[in-house]
Amino acid sequence: MHFAHPSYLWLLLLLLPLAAWYVMKWRARYPKLGLSTTAAFGKAPRSYKEYLLHGLFVLRLLAIAALIVIVARPQIRDKWSKTNTEGTDIVIALDLSTSMLAKDFQPNRFEAAKKVAANFVAGRESDNMGLVIFAGESFTALPMTTDRSLISNYINDLSIGMLEDGTAIGDGLATSINRIKDGQAKSKSIILLTDGSNNTGNVAPLTASEIAKKFGIKVYTIGVGKNGNAPYPTQDVTGRITYTNLPVVIDEATLQNIANTTGGKYFRATDNSVLADIFKEIDQLEKSRIDVQNFSHAEDHYLPWALIALALLAFEILLRHLWLKPLP
């Protein structure tokens, strides 16, 4: 604990002249009577109340001391600390193409993916994590961070239409590699979630997977979509969105090759529960020790001193008006 205004503690020295003033006042409080001898009073008992009378002043001094401490603003010290913990570096690469609005998941593929991804992030307490989004282009939404709430909130705020439409799986994977390749953890993983086939972009998916292999990065690929047909969003000439049943086409061969090349694993999610189970399985990723910087923020710690001051004053009042009440 430290004080925001430690110089105010010098006010405690004022208690010394107050004590001296009390002693002088007490001696001058009663008139004096001269006697030739006090032997007759030598064995007279002394009441405990005589000592409690001085205790009232001591309680008042202690209460003043507590108030001075409060004025000096006691605080719990803030500091940076560095700890070693088990963790891994993970980047989530999320497909934002329009087809992710297909309603073979509840309420659709995109919202289902956001929910399980946010829950996954919330459960990874010791990991450095980043977020990449891709459609017709790729974009680093969040660089590597240990702030889980920041990532979860960002995922929840994502929406279709933030990027040019399309499915650039290779670009999304390449951007993810750039985010994670310089991480401290020995274990580096990318979770790439998509519902289609690579149809645009500058980097071929298999080329990106070879780069990931070179850097020792595992890629876990997830194909999202039920088997058969699914209601896909289509826009008519008036701009109104309607849904039409169309065949579900996922380039599973490419996603499988990416996973095999990098030592990861390919998953096929056909509904909400399967998607949640996939993320639970990925949650068992290997972990390695990483250095984490922790910061504790400033916090005033005056409440205990305020309670002490109030208790002392209350005790003094009770003594003065109950046990030590003066006679009229």
Side-chain angles (χ1 to χ4, degrees), residues 25 31 38 40 54 58 72 86 105-106 114 123-124 159 172 239 261:
K25 181 181 177 182
T38 59
H54 301 298
V58 173
E86 295 291 331
F105 284 62
Q106 295 299 324
K114 285 169 55 177
R124 305 289 296 191
S159 60
T261 299

Side-chain angles (χ1 to χ4, degrees), residues 76-190:
I76 297 176
R77 181 175 295 276
D78 300 342
K79 62 180 180 179
W80 283 97
S81 62
K82 189 175 183 180
T83 58
N84 287 323
T85 184
E86 295 291 331
T88 186
D89 289 343
I90 300 175
V91 168
I92 297 177
L94 189 59
D95 188 348
L96 265 65
S97 60
T98 303
S99 59
M100 287 289 288
L101 292 175
K103 290 185 175 296
D104 49 348
F105 284 62
Q106 295 299 324
N108 55 51
R109 295 174 181 174
F110 185 59
E111 292 300 326
K114 285 169 55 177
K115 180 178 179 180
V116 295
N119 290 338
F120 175 81
V121 169
R124 305 289 296 191
E125 296 185 3
S126 303
D127 297 324
N128 278 314
M129 304 188 73
L131 178 65
V132 168
I133 54 177
F134 67 94
E137 55 187 335
S138 64
F139 175 73
T140 300
L142 286 174
M144 305 300 292
T145 178
T146 57
D147 191 336
R148 293 172 296 149
S149 61
L150 175 65
I151 303 173
S152 296
N153 290 336
Y154 197 101
I155 290 174
N156 290 327
D157 290 338
L158 290 174
S159 60
I160 301 297
M162 296 177 66
L163 301 175
E164 179 184 347
D165 201 19
T167 307
I169 295 175
D171 285 8
L173 181 54
T175 301
S176 301
I177 293 170
N178 284 332
R179 291 298 95 200
I180 200 175
K181 63 183 179 65
D182 297 323
Q184 297 181 15
K186 293 181 181 179
S187 176
K188 300 180 180 66
S189 305
I190 296 172

